[in-house]
Amino acid sequence: MTLKKPKEGEATPRPYSALHMEDIMLRQPAVAGRFYEGSPALLKKEVGAFIEEDLKKEKAIGIVCPHAGYVYSGSVAGAVYSRIIIPQTVILMGPNHTGIGKAVSVFPEGEWTMPNGAVPVNNKLAELILEYSKTASADHHAHQYEHSLEVQIPFIQYLSKDFSIVPITIMDTSLKTCQSLGEGIAKAVLELKKREGEKGGNGDVLIVSSTDMTHYESHDSAKTKDKKAIDKILSLDAEGLHKTVKEYGISMCGFAPTVSMLYASKMLGAKKATLIKYMTSGEVSGDYQQVVGYAGIIIQ
């Protein structure tokens, strides 16, 4: 694989080599010390600076949250996470930046090691998603060097010590695949709720779509294009978002995960979406000619 010099907000891809299964099931962080602080104490302090501690927290079905380096997008991520209740299970969906792995890759079991502790994968929900979505495949490899899901975890860990994850990366961005995955996730979540309810639990699940918005255009161009995409998300219009991104050439890297999240959220009873914060990297760097857009949205 040819390595390219990373642009702002991108991880540096590394060549893939065969890994033993026990090593694959225990995923190591790929961008600790680069996108976010690598030491536990410094990371907790870094995330804490973005969290608004006194805000009222509400249940959410899904969220849209950026995945750039925290210096650029941390305030948007913090604004979203400060407002939501973290349930015991979080589905993390993001784009596949590396090109490694399956079209839709579900990390099926194991743990994700992070500076502030390991996070278990909810293999029961992962198995249900694989059962109900025929486009999804069990695949550890796609996740080894992918940063889009990893950067969400420190925010979740700051707010909760008791949760599990189901990591999913998406490389096939066709509407058919997005719909199949979204509907499969909804069916899996409903089945999990049923099973947990029978045991006295609630089976609550949060679906996180990890995405940045327009890449490497001017601040004004990014805002104009991103508003078109954001308006579709706020209307809970999955198909409309997919069409808009394609029609206007919006370089929203995680539009497919967001489309899938919207399909799932609608099936799970979502009634509204709220834009919490939007900004571009230019507001941090001072470079308004080549920016990346970041949006934080809550689906309820």
Side-chain angles (χ1 to χ4, degrees):
M1 177 171 64
T2 301
L3 300 184
K4 298 179 181 179
K5 183 179 179 180
K7 295 181 179 179
E8 175 185 296
E10 289 185 340
T12 304
R14 289 171 283 173
Y16 174 73
S17 59
L19 299 171
H20 294 295
M21 182 55 66
E22 59 268 26
D23 296 326
I24 292 175
M25 290 172 62
L26 184 63
R27 182 195 182 271
Q28 302 297 323
V31 292
R34 293 192 293 140
F35 277 44
Y36 56 84
E37 292 286 357
S39 78
L42 290 177
L43 178 56
K44 184 176 181 180
K45 181 179 179 181
E46 182 180 34
V47 173
F50 297 122
I51 296 295
E52 301 170 70
E53 300 283 359
D54 298 329
L55 291 179
K56 179 183 177 182
K57 292 177 171 53
E58 298 181 326
K59 283 188 177 182
I61 296 172
I63 62 173
V64 174
C65 209
H67 56 235
Y70 288 1
V71 65
Y72 295 107
S73 66
S75 65
V76 176
V80 172
Y81 282 111
S82 294
R83 288 166 169 80
I84 63 171
I85 296 169
I86 305 298
Q88 287 194 318
T89 304
V90 181
I91 297 173
L92 297 172
M93 290 200 294
N96 184 324
H97 291 92
T98 67
I100 298 169
K102 305 293 185 180
V104 176
S105 300
V106 178
F107 197 101
E109 59 182 331
E111 290 184 332
W112 280 37
T113 301
M114 297 293 293
N116 283 317
V119 181
V121 173
N122 188 323
N123 66 300
K124 293 180 180 179
L125 181 56
E127 288 175 0
L128 287 171
I129 292 172
L130 291 166
E131 176 183 347
Y132 285 114
S133 178
K134 303 307 178 185
T135 58
S137 302
D139 177 20
H140 294 85
H141 304 323
H143 296 269
Q144 297 309 308
Y145 309 127
E146 175 56 52
H147 67 283
S148 63
L149 308 185
E150 175 183 324
V151 297
Q152 305 296 333
I153 295 175
F155 282 93
I156 302 170
Q157 285 182 310
Y158 187 91
L159 296 165
S160 175
K161 303 303 180 187
D162 181 23
F163 69 96
S164 60
I165 58 174
V166 179
I168 305 172
T169 62
I170 303 175
M171 190 156 41
D172 179 356
T173 63
S174 69
L175 182 62
K176 181 179 179 181
T177 293
C178 293
Q179 182 174 3
S180 172
L181 176 60
E183 292 176 352
I185 287 172
K187 292 174 183 177
V189 169
L190 290 171
E191 178 62 26
L192 179 71
K193 283 180 175 286
K194 177 183 175 182
R195 295 182 184 181
E196 292 297 314
E198 291 171 352
K199 296 187 295 183
N202 57 33
D204 284 347
V205 175
L206 173 69
I207 307 171
V208 177
S209 175
S210 181
T211 183
D212 296 337
M213 303 300 289
T214 292
H215 289 63
Y216 313 122
E217 297 186 21
S218 72
H219 177 82
D220 290 341
S221 175
K223 284 184 66 177
T224 298
K225 286 188 173 182
D226 289 345
K227 185 179 186 304
K228 296 180 187 297
I230 290 168
D231 284 347
K232 295 300 180 182
I233 299 171
L234 297 181
S235 299
L236 303 178
D237 185 355
E239 185 174 351
L241 173 61
H242 193 279
K243 180 180 179 181
T244 296
V245 167
K246 296 290 188 180
E247 181 177 350
Y248 292 98
I250 302 171
S251 52
M252 176 183 175
C253 56
F255 79 93
T258 307
V259 170
S260 295
M261 183 270 291
L262 288 174
Y263 274 118
S265 296
K266 288 290 290 295
M267 284 187 66
L268 293 170
K271 302 298 182 184
K272 68 174 183 176
T274 306
L275 176 64
I276 303 302
K277 185 170 183 176
Y278 175 83
M279 65 177 290
T280 74
S281 60
E283 295 170 61
V284 176
S285 68
D287 178 3
Y288 287 90
Q289 298 306 309
Q290 292 283 313
V291 308
V292 179
Y294 311 118
I297 300 171
I298 296 176
I299 314 294
Q300 295 172 296

